[in-house]
Amino acid sequence: MANVNTEMDSSARKAPDSPTYRLVADLLAKADITLNGTRPWDMRLHDPRALERVLATVNLGLGEAYMDGQWDCDRLDEFFTRVLRAKLDQQIEPTRLFFYVLKAKWLNRQNVKRAWQVGEQHYDLNNEFYEAMLGKRMAYSCGYWSGGSKTLDEAQEAKLDMICRKLALKPGMRLLDIGCGWGSLMGFAAERYGVSCVGVTVSKEQAKLGAARYKDQPIEFRLMDYRNLNEQFDCIASVGMFEHVGPKNYRTYMEVARRCLADGGLFLLHTIGKNHPSAAADPWIDKYIFPNGVIPVIGEIANAASKLFVVEDLHNFGADYDRTLMAWHANFESAWPRFAAKMGQRFYRMWRYYLLSCAGAFRARDTQLWQWVLSKSGVPGGYKRPAV
């Protein structure tokens, strides 16, 4: 293996003479990134074939080449911050990505059958692994640091409490959590606000662990697709699940929420959002991390809610996701020795790339985090957001 790596690195050092090398180097220079440079955010090339992969399939090729050890970067988060601020992702339009655009346009990739894939591939991965990465509450969504939180656990509890206050929870209420994860919100709401909860998930492992963690609380986990919900609740929350719904199902999702929300109740939707529409999801994220996932734009959510809900409040704290992802990455790195033998080096590089590329996207403000508060007919006198 040492001889192979030596040959690859030697070949990469000769690569500046190639047109491909010069093309990629010139492109990266627009983002203040030097190919084979020495700064933490510079791209160090081990195999020049990585550049062909990048030009052929852009994000997919870049990520797979990193997973295969063909290039490195000490600070992937800073690399992606610079790439996205310079909008380099919009300057390469390979025809091979047409396949992903075509699938997104014509197929319902989040239909009832396919909706279970993300549970099996991502959320069922390893409960112990997620416990080590996510922290005490196992909240797999953006923490709220803007209120003065100093640790990940504090930021997640601040987020959970903010959701409960935005929903005006009171003892005796019944809360529906669409896409409940391991039950972080339901557990917090039951403990601190005295409500009973029903959560739905497409992950067997989430439902199993959540039911065990909260066996003494008035919390029910249901392994089911959200489209099969048909009973009323005093309030509804959905935290980090809308990214799995897909544009062809946004209206159906909102119709389900409306029929399940009691008159006078509030619905809080917490979702990642993007600044501009695109025809398809990031192909690397789609293949390796969140199959069939799609990040919505603000207009798509508003259109889906039209004539079904009144938008009472919209709150963006996407910059806090950068800090959340970096905290998850620190936990991941610290815990990795416990999982290395079982999960392997390629998984390590994949997961590192996932967390740090996403941190860079939020740091560049290319991606947002929105909390919407919706009502069926409008709050009499107007909704007043609690102090956050």
Side-chain angles (χ1 to χ4, degrees):
M1 179 62 72
N3 289 337
V4 172
N5 286 338
T6 300
E7 290 175 6
M8 289 171 65
D9 285 335
S10 176
S11 177
R13 284 193 293 271
K14 296 176 183 177
D17 294 331
S18 75
T20 299
Y21 186 100
R22 291 194 296 272
L23 176 62
V24 175
D26 289 346
L27 192 65
L28 291 175
K30 297 177 181 179
D32 189 30
I33 297 170
T34 301
L35 196 52
N36 285 329
T38 58
R39 296 170 300 179
W41 56 84
D42 287 335
M43 182 181 187
R44 299 194 308 277
L45 196 61
H46 303 307
D47 184 343
R49 290 173 296 182
L51 304 183
E52 298 288 352
R53 297 174 79 174
V54 172
L55 292 179
T57 55
V58 196
N59 296 17
L60 181 61
L62 184 68
E64 289 185 332
Y66 181 82
M67 290 167 62
D68 292 339
Q70 293 183 321
W71 67 279
D72 269 305
C73 176
D74 294 333
R75 290 289 304 274
L76 282 172
D77 53 314
E78 280 297 299
F79 172 87
F80 280 101
T81 300
R82 284 165 167 74
V83 164
L84 292 170
R85 282 179 178 164
K87 304 188 185 306
L88 298 191
D89 58 317
Q90 300 176 27
Q91 297 184 38
I92 305 178
E93 298 291 343
T95 57
R96 292 186 188 182
L97 289 186
F98 178 74
F99 173 68
Y100 293 94
V101 174
L102 194 65
K103 285 200 301 182
K105 183 175 182 180
W106 294 109
L107 300 179
N108 183 357
R109 303 186 66 232
Q110 300 81 19
N111 61 29
V112 174
K113 182 178 180 180
R114 297 176 66 95
W116 296 85
Q117 291 180 358
V118 69
E120 295 166 358
Q121 178 175 325
H122 189 83
Y123 296 110
D124 287 348
L125 178 66
N126 185 315
N127 279 336
E128 184 183 358
F129 174 79
Y130 280 121
E131 283 184 287
M133 184 181 86
L134 299 177
K136 182 175 68 175
R137 292 276 178 184
M138 291 190 75
Y140 199 6
S141 58
C142 183
Y144 187 64
W145 302 83
S146 302
S149 300
K150 293 182 172 57
T151 68
L152 176 62
D153 286 336
E154 288 177 359
Q156 292 295 6
E157 292 213 348
K159 182 266 303 293
L160 297 173
D161 190 61
M162 180 168 63
I163 291 172
C164 292
R165 289 185 291 114
K166 285 182 176 182
L167 287 172
L169 294 186
K170 293 180 176 56
M173 282 185 168
R174 193 162 176 251
L175 168 68
L176 170 64
D177 188 347
I178 303 176
C180 61
W182 293 271
S184 60
L185 174 61
M186 296 192 297
F188 187 91
E191 294 164 14
R192 303 287 180 88
Y193 287 84
V195 302
S196 62
C197 309
V198 172
V200 298
T201 176
V202 294
S203 166
K204 295 177 182 178
E205 291 299 316
Q206 287 183 337
K208 181 174 70 174
L209 180 61
R213 282 170 69 98
Y214 299 107
K215 63 182 184 299
D216 298 324
Q217 296 284 355
I219 296 173
E220 178 187 355
F221 285 81
R222 297 180 186 173
L223 192 62
M224 64 182 292
D225 187 274
Y226 70 92
R227 282 162 280 218
N228 295 323
L229 286 163
N230 193 20
E231 61 187 282
Q232 287 209 325
F233 296 83
D234 297 301
C235 48
I236 301 174
S238 187
V239 182
M241 181 271 181
F242 196 73
E243 300 89 333
H244 303 302
V245 171
K248 293 186 181 299
N249 307 295
Y250 290 160
R251 185 67 176 184
T252 297
Y253 176 92
M254 290 294 181
E255 290 170 346
V256 170
R258 180 177 171 84
R259 77 174 178 235
C260 290
L261 183 63
D263 293 341
L266 295 173
F267 168 35
L268 184 139
L269 176 63
H270 171 120
T271 181
I272 294 171
K274 58 189 177 185
N275 296 334
H276 52 84
S278 59
D282 178 287
W284 186 86
I285 290 287
D286 180 69
K287 182 175 181 179
Y288 292 101
I289 307 299
F290 296 117
N292 310 317
V294 180
I295 299 176
V297 295
I298 201 164
E300 290 174 321
I301 300 175
N303 287 340
S306 176
K307 297 184 179 180
L308 296 175
F309 290 105
V310 174
V311 178
E312 300 285 0
D313 190 57
L314 178 55
H315 180 192
N316 183 356
F317 55 101
D320 285 15
Y321 225 143
D322 174 15
R323 195 167 174 184
T324 302
L325 283 153
M326 295 305 292
W328 288 342
H329 176 256
N331 287 347
F332 162 66
E333 292 283 0
S334 177
W336 179 247
R338 292 160 45 193
F339 304 99
K342 180 179 180 180
M343 304 181 93
Q345 182 67 8
R346 196 166 192 265
F347 177 90
Y348 168 78
R349 293 180 69 87
M350 177 188 78
W351 207 259
R352 181 175 187 267
Y353 186 92
Y354 153 51
L355 294 176
L356 295 179
S357 64
C358 289
F362 284 100
R363 192 176 308 162
R365 300 310 312 280
D366 183 72
T367 315
Q368 312 305 323
L369 188 286
W370 299 316
Q371 278 191 354
W372 300 65
V373 177
L374 309 172
S375 68
K376 290 170 75 169
S377 302
V379 174
Y383 176 83
K384 297 176 178 60
R385 183 199 293 175
V388 296

